[in-house]
């Protein structure tokens, strides 16, 4: 809704050798006071000259648009796949992530790009110590009572979104306002998210916390990991893949953490402890092995400290790069 984009393919000896897209995200530039173009959807064979041609083509387009910086990989918003994988190439990716080979990092850095931010990802399991679990439960109960909070109820995903979508977006806009790469939600973005979440939200793995006036103050959207059943069909949503997904939704082995948001007014009131306890209960369910956090900025200490309550293993790192053109 707020962008202009270009798409380039690279060919070598008559064969497809790479691709890249450039995005002029006007809303982001206005919000952050920048003159940037983002690069995204970057894929390339193991050939530096092809990578050079692709990135320099986006840089040339950025100059034509009067921009002074190229950054990425970043999509239209932070709700898209973002960041270049630089650690954890042997680890399983979630459905929400993209994969790349290790040579991508070398190519990008040789072309003058340097680190702007890193995200880490973790596999988390419920604490092994019973006393830690008991302490989490007590803290969650205390916070709920002290601030007169309660959980929102819903019959199914459709009912969940009908009741709470407005409050969800309000909390997300507030809690993500200062987060790297974020842009304000447009009506189109909201509709797209609702349509997508309708397919995968499971009320057993998602929660909203409401204040005494039924206003959303915290949310945690999780869903059973669907990467494996999709992988078996070569990334395609075939009828057989859909059957596997539906079966997995009832008996998940792993859980993907999609979105977590806390109203800034409640951030220092311990509300995150309630979400931590709810997640710990999910992780103790029969058959569940672990949860994958997806991307967390390394300097987002609120979320990084949250995972310290669990048995955590950081297993992946992604990076967004920056290059000044003038």
């Amino acid at each position: 809704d707020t962008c202009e984009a270009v798409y380039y393919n690279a060919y070598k000896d008559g064969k497809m050798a790479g691709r890249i897209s450039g995005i002029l995200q006007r809303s982001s530039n206005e919000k952050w006071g920048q003159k940037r173009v983002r690069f995204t959807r970057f894929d390339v064979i193991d050939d530096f000259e092809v990578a050079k041609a692709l990135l320099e083509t986006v840089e040339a387009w950025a100059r034509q648009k009067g921009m002074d910086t190229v950054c990425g990989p970043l999509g239209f918003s932070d709700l898209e796949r973002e960041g270049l994988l630089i650690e954890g190439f042997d680890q399983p990716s979630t459905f929400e992530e993209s994969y790349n080979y290790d040579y991508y990092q070398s190519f990008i850095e040789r072309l003058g790009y340097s680190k702007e931010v890193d995200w880490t990802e973790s596999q988390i399991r419920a604490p092994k110590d019973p006393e830690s679990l008991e302490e989490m439960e007590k803290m969650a109960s205390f916070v709920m009572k002290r601030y007169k909070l309660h959980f929102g109820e819903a019959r199914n995903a459709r009912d969940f979104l009908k009741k709470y979508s407005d409050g969800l977006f309000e909390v997300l806009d507030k809690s993500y306002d200062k987060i790297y790469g974020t842009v304000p939600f447009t009506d189109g973005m909201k509709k797209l998210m609702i349509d997508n979440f309708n397919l995968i939200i499971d009320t057993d793995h998602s929660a909203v916390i409401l204040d005494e006036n039924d206003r959303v103050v915290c949310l945690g959207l999780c869903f059973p990991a669907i990467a494996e059943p999709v992988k078996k069909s070569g990334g395609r949503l075939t009828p057989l893949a859909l059957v596997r997904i539906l079966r997995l939704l009832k008996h998940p082995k792993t859980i993907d953490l999609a979105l977590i948001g806390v109203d800034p007014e409640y951030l220092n009131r311990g509300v995150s402890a309630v979400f931590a306890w709810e997640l710990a209960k999910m992780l103790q369910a029969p058959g569940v092995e672990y949860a994958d956090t997806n991307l967390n900025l390394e300097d987002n200490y609120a979320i990084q400290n949250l995972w310290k309550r669990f048995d955590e293993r950081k297993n992946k790192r992604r990076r967004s790069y920056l290059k000044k053109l003038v």
Side-chain angles (χ1 to χ4, degrees), residues 187-250:
D187 289 340
M189 290 170 67
K190 292 178 182 179
K191 183 180 184 304
L192 181 64
M193 285 184 67
I194 290 172
D195 290 345
N196 288 339
F197 283 147
N198 251 326
L199 299 174
I200 56 175
I201 277 186
D202 178 356
T203 52
D204 291 337
H205 298 98
S206 299
V208 293
I209 300 174
L210 312 175
D211 67 11
E212 57 185 327
N213 298 312
D214 287 335
R215 183 173 64 93
V216 178
V217 299
C218 179
L219 65 97
L221 302 184
C222 315
F223 46 82
I226 63 172
E228 193 60 32
V230 176
K231 179 181 177 181
K232 290 180 179 179
S233 61
R236 295 176 175 83
L237 285 175
T238 63
L240 187 57
L242 290 172
V243 170
R244 289 195 295 263
I245 289 172
L246 291 172
R247 187 183 303 129
L248 181 144
L249 291 176
K250 299 299 182 183

Side-chain angles (χ1 to χ4, degrees), residues 25 35 72 113 160 187 197 201 224 244 247 258 267 303 316:
Q25 178 35 293
K35 299 175 69 175
Y113 288 80
F160 182 92
D187 289 340
F197 283 147
I201 277 186
R244 289 195 295 263
R247 187 183 303 129
L267 193 59
I303 196 70
K316 284 173 280 185

Side-chain angles (χ1 to χ4, degrees), residues 145-163:
K145 291 178 181 178
R146 179 173 183 177
Y147 297 109
K148 301 179 181 178
L149 305 175
H150 61 282
F151 286 101
E153 296 181 355
R155 298 186 303 275
N156 50 43
R158 187 177 297 278
D159 186 41
F160 182 92
L161 292 169
K162 181 179 179 180
K163 286 182 175 179

